[in-house]
Amino acid sequence: DQEPPRVRRTGAYFALLMPPAAWQPPDQTAPCSGEQPLLVYHRWRKLLNGFYSKKKDQFDCSKIPDIYDAAKYDAIHNAHLQHLGLDLQELHRTARRLADCVIPNEYGTSPAAKLQVGASICHRLLGKLLSDLDSMKEESLASHRVATGAPPPADTAKTLALQELEDDSVLLPSTMEDSDEDTSDEEQTTHRLCPTYADDINSPLRHVRTRVYFTSESHIHALLNVLRFAALDRDGVTPLVSEEGARIVDVPECDYMTHIIIRMFERIDVAIDDPARFRIELRFSPGAAHEPGREALADHCESVVQAQSVHPGDGVTLDEAHRLLEPFATRWAPPRAPAP
């Protein structure tokens, strides 16, 4: 077949300028997800051109994470193309060795640097997390005041919130699952049982609230570093992450479905003004962190590593977490509605 004029004139193979049948492997084996072989070629050619400059005779190490992602994808999903002479496993191993050196050091080469870089990346996320934890605490305390008939707080805003709770004799405002997209904390309302009418419930004051945050790998690395090193050079302070937990979170790669679970528990048998009433637990999973080729993936699906506890002992109190994280957080302010 005659090449299209543009391809022949430039002497380059570009996927969008050639028909799908212009370049196929001998046995017509297609890559995963219907990707055309020429697209695979163009994808890797673009990575090569970005990684190495012939003109300058230099390598660009910032492209290594992209190369590693592409190598791992092909080693998992296009392993059936190895009979074409493509040593995808060796490519992945080489890219992995480079990525293990480059990626973690993008966020600092020492504990102090990791803490500083991490705080500069995720300071707003930290502020949001602390704000949400405080919001859950205040709602729980407001419910306690309603159940016990305690006097309202002196703060005007809290007094108004308590009056709203008292006006509803059956159901108390709360949230089981909520979203940050369209409403502020004050507008998010669902219901739970009022302790006054929950005589046959074992834990009527139990309050379950779930927030789900979606963010980038860079923010995950940054947040892990802040949680791990927040107590650096601070004597007599309980760290948020234990020594064993530090080994768990010390991963060079945060894979697909990596997640950090922050859980806050309330002990209703502890005095309302006791800092031990609210405690924080941390769990971490590196996601689908498996080596390609360890098993056949007929459905192209990897399992997610189960999250493990990384907090010391029974966790830390909410007050301790605040003291450790507040210096690195930006105070959260809900977005204002646009002017009419």
Side-chain angles (χ1 to χ4, degrees):
D1 294 338
Q2 186 177 6
E3 289 183 338
R6 287 184 63 188
V7 174
R8 185 174 62 251
R9 183 171 61 252
T10 61
Y13 290 95
F14 186 65
L16 301 180
L17 301 181
M18 300 186 69
W23 186 74
Q24 289 284 348
D27 60 355
Q28 303 297 308
T29 301
C32 178
S33 300
E35 185 180 21
Q36 293 298 328
L38 194 58
L39 282 173
V40 177
Y41 169 81
H42 178 64
R43 171 160 56 86
W44 276 103
R45 185 171 179 273
K46 183 178 179 180
L47 286 171
L48 175 61
N49 291 337
F51 180 52
Y52 176 68
S53 171
K54 291 183 178 180
K55 182 178 181 180
K56 298 180 180 179
D57 192 24
Q58 291 181 347
F59 291 95
D60 184 357
C61 292
S62 67
K63 301 297 182 182
I64 288 178
D66 296 333
I67 293 174
Y68 172 69
D69 289 343
K72 185 169 185 177
Y73 173 85
D74 285 332
I76 293 175
H77 299 292
N78 288 326
H80 58 283
L81 300 180
Q82 294 195 99
H83 65 281
L84 300 177
L86 304 175
D87 195 348
L88 298 177
Q89 297 299 328
E90 179 60 27
L91 173 63
H92 170 262
R93 285 191 292 269
T94 302
R96 177 63 183 266
R97 287 192 289 268
L98 293 172
D100 286 350
C101 177
V102 171
I103 294 177
N105 291 324
E106 288 182 322
Y107 305 94
T109 56
S110 66
K114 289 179 184 292
L115 178 59
Q116 180 181 6
V117 174
S120 67
I121 294 175
C122 69
H123 58 98
R124 287 180 56 83
L125 176 58
L126 284 170
K128 176 60 174 169
L129 291 171
L130 292 177
S131 174
D132 289 343
L133 290 171
D134 286 341
S135 176
M136 288 185 279
K137 175 183 175 181
E138 288 302 321
E139 287 187 9
S140 184
L141 294 180
S143 298
H144 175 81
R145 288 190 289 266
V146 171
T148 60
D155 185 86
T156 304
K158 293 182 179 179
T159 301
L160 294 176
L162 181 60
Q163 290 174 351
E164 292 179 1
L165 291 174
E166 293 175 329
D167 290 340
D168 191 341
S169 59
V170 179
L171 297 173
L172 297 179
S174 176
T175 54
M176 296 299 292
E177 293 184 359
D178 50 34
S179 170
D180 300 324
E181 294 179 356
D182 302 318
T183 59
S184 65
D185 289 342
E186 291 76 14
E187 297 172 336
Q188 297 166 354
T189 303
T190 54
H191 302 90
R192 65 172 174 177
L193 288 175
C194 175
T196 306
Y197 296 87
D199 297 332
D200 57 341
I201 304 298
N202 291 331
S203 53
L205 292 177
R206 183 178 63 181
H207 177 54
V208 180
R209 178 170 181 166
T210 302
R211 285 183 180 268
V212 181
Y213 307 84
F214 294 90
T215 189
S216 62
E217 182 182 4
S218 62
H219 276 69
I220 292 289
H221 278 291
L223 181 58
L224 286 174
N225 286 337
V226 173
L227 294 175
R228 181 181 176 185
F229 299 115
L232 188 68
D233 297 332
R234 302 172 74 172
D235 297 333
V237 177
T238 303
L240 295 172
V241 178
S242 65
E243 292 184 5
E244 178 62 27
R247 287 189 285 270
I248 295 174
V249 303
D250 188 17
V251 294
E253 175 190 10
C254 292
D255 216 312
Y256 178 70
M257 288 298 292
T258 293
H259 52 280
I260 303 170
I261 303 173
I262 303 175
R263 302 197 297 177
M264 185 172 76
F265 294 89
E266 179 182 10
R267 295 182 57 185
I268 60 174
D269 59 332
V270 175
I272 193 69
D273 56 349
D274 191 330
R277 186 177 178 96
F278 295 92
R279 65 180 176 87
I280 302 295
E281 290 186 359
L282 298 174
R283 298 176 66 85
F284 171 72
S285 167
H290 302 291
E291 286 296 316
R294 65 181 177 87
E295 61 183 13
L297 299 175
D299 56 356
H300 294 267
C301 292
E302 285 274 17
S303 59
V304 175
V305 177
Q306 185 175 1
Q308 296 178 272
S309 298
V310 298
H311 53 268
D314 293 331
V316 300
T317 66
L318 178 60
D319 287 352
E320 289 174 327
H322 254 287
R323 285 195 296 270
L324 287 172
L325 297 179
E326 271 187 328
F328 311 105
T330 296
R331 185 179 179 87
W332 171 258
R336 296 181 179 180

